Amino acid sequence: MLKIGLTGGMGSGKTTVSKIFSVLGIPVFYADDAAKTIMNEDAGLKQSIINLFGQAAYMNNELNRKYIAGIAFNDKFKLEQLNALVHPVTIAAADEWMNAQTSSYVIKEAALMFESPAAASLDYVIGVYAPQHLRLQRVMNRDNTTREAVLARMHNQLDETIKMKLCDFVIINDEHTAVLPQVLALHKKFLEMAG
């Protein structure tokens, strides 16, 4: 079974692409969603996050994402500490999930593929590329936030050009190039490779 990573910057369209793979019958592991769940359910991790950010890190026993983001996205060291806590348990959860699948290939969708050791256990990585102005607009609309807030978050991710160069395949999602034929071509390629 092939293990395929899927990454891209905020607002690139990773989720759209992963949903197409899902419709094609390919299991998809959403690392960011899994991380949020684990941060709420893993008692040891919760305590480590409280130790790092204080009691306000959780409200009503739920992760206070806005509070943590307000600190982490403005303090690179805190962000690195948070990632050092969350990435290993999320990667372990993804590996366990992938090993339980029976399809020809699986997809692991993660924003931080190369910023963590997440890519190490994968056979190939697909990048989803969109120009920064489009990504900015999409995230501002999706999260109902300011340009400055989105840029601050983008600043903490690997440069998009570098990220795409590290990928084995790139899907262009620039509102001019059709995404579906690109996904179908990769789907066919992965089935052939796995077969």
Side-chain angles (χ1 to χ4, degrees), residues 48-78:
S48 296
I49 292 169
I50 290 167
N51 293 345
L52 182 61
F53 290 97
Q55 291 296 326
Y58 287 84
M59 283 179 58
N60 302 321
N61 213 25
E62 287 287 315
L63 184 69
N64 187 345
R65 292 177 56 211
K66 191 171 185 176
Y67 170 78
I68 290 175
I71 296 171
F73 291 125
N74 293 301
D75 182 337
K76 214 167 182 80
F77 183 62
K78 284 274 193 205

Side-chain angles (χ1 to χ4, degrees), residues 3-6 95 98 106 108 113 118-125:
K3 296 175 180 178
I4 312 293
L6 178 67
D95 289 342
M98 285 188 282
V106 295
K108 176 184 178 181
M113 189 69 68
S121 64
L122 302 171
D123 297 304
Y124 300 100
V125 177

Side-chain angles (χ1 to χ4, degrees), residues 11 18 23 48 51 67 70 75 100 102 105 129 136 143 163 171 173 175-176 180 182 192:
S18 62
V23 167
S48 296
N51 293 345
Y67 170 78
D75 182 337
T102 57
Y105 73 96
Y129 173 80
L136 259 172
D143 297 352
K163 187 179 285 197
I171 291 174
N173 183 19
E175 298 185 357
H176 298 291
L180 185 59
Q182 297 175 79
E192 288 168 357

Side-chain angles (χ1 to χ4, degrees), residues 6 11 50 61 69 76 79 82 111-112 138 141:
L6 178 67
I50 290 167
N61 213 25
K76 214 167 182 80
L79 180 61
L82 177 63
L112 305 179
R138 288 172 182 166
N141 293 342

Side-chain angles (χ1 to χ4, degrees), residues 45-195:
L45 181 58
K46 280 174 85 166
Q47 190 54 57
S48 296
I49 292 169
I50 290 167
N51 293 345
L52 182 61
F53 290 97
Q55 291 296 326
Y58 287 84
M59 283 179 58
N60 302 321
N61 213 25
E62 287 287 315
L63 184 69
N64 187 345
R65 292 177 56 211
K66 191 171 185 176
Y67 170 78
I68 290 175
I71 296 171
F73 291 125
N74 293 301
D75 182 337
K76 214 167 182 80
F77 183 62
K78 284 274 193 205
L79 180 61
E80 286 173 10
Q81 289 178 300
L82 177 63
N83 286 340
L85 293 172
V86 177
H87 286 164
V89 291
T90 307
I91 290 168
D95 289 342
E96 185 179 330
W97 177 88
M98 285 188 282
N99 292 332
Q101 303 308 309
T102 57
S103 56
S104 299
Y105 73 96
V106 295
I107 299 280
K108 176 184 178 181
E109 190 236 59
L112 305 179
M113 189 69 68
F114 301 111
E115 296 90 334
S116 72
S121 64
L122 302 171
D123 297 304
Y124 300 100
V125 177
I126 303 166
V128 181
Y129 173 80
Q132 181 171 317
H133 72 277
L134 265 183
R135 295 189 302 114
L136 259 172
Q137 196 58 53
R138 288 172 182 166
V139 177
M140 285 166 56
N141 293 342
R142 180 191 74 197
D143 297 352
N144 194 25
T145 190
T146 65
R147 184 176 194 279
E148 293 70 30
V150 177
L151 285 170
R153 288 163 59 193
M154 285 181 170
H155 180 71
N156 287 307
Q157 293 186 346
L158 185 63
D159 177 84
E160 198 68 359
T161 306
I162 295 169
K163 187 179 285 197
M164 291 304 115
K165 285 182 180 175
L166 293 170
C167 293
D168 301 292
F169 307 97
V170 176
I171 291 174
I172 306 297
N173 183 19
D174 61 1
E175 298 185 357
H176 298 291
T177 312
V179 171
L180 185 59
Q182 297 175 79
V183 175
L184 292 174
L186 284 176
H187 177 62
K188 183 180 179 200
K189 183 183 213 53
F190 295 144
L191 289 175
E192 288 168 357
M193 292 165 80

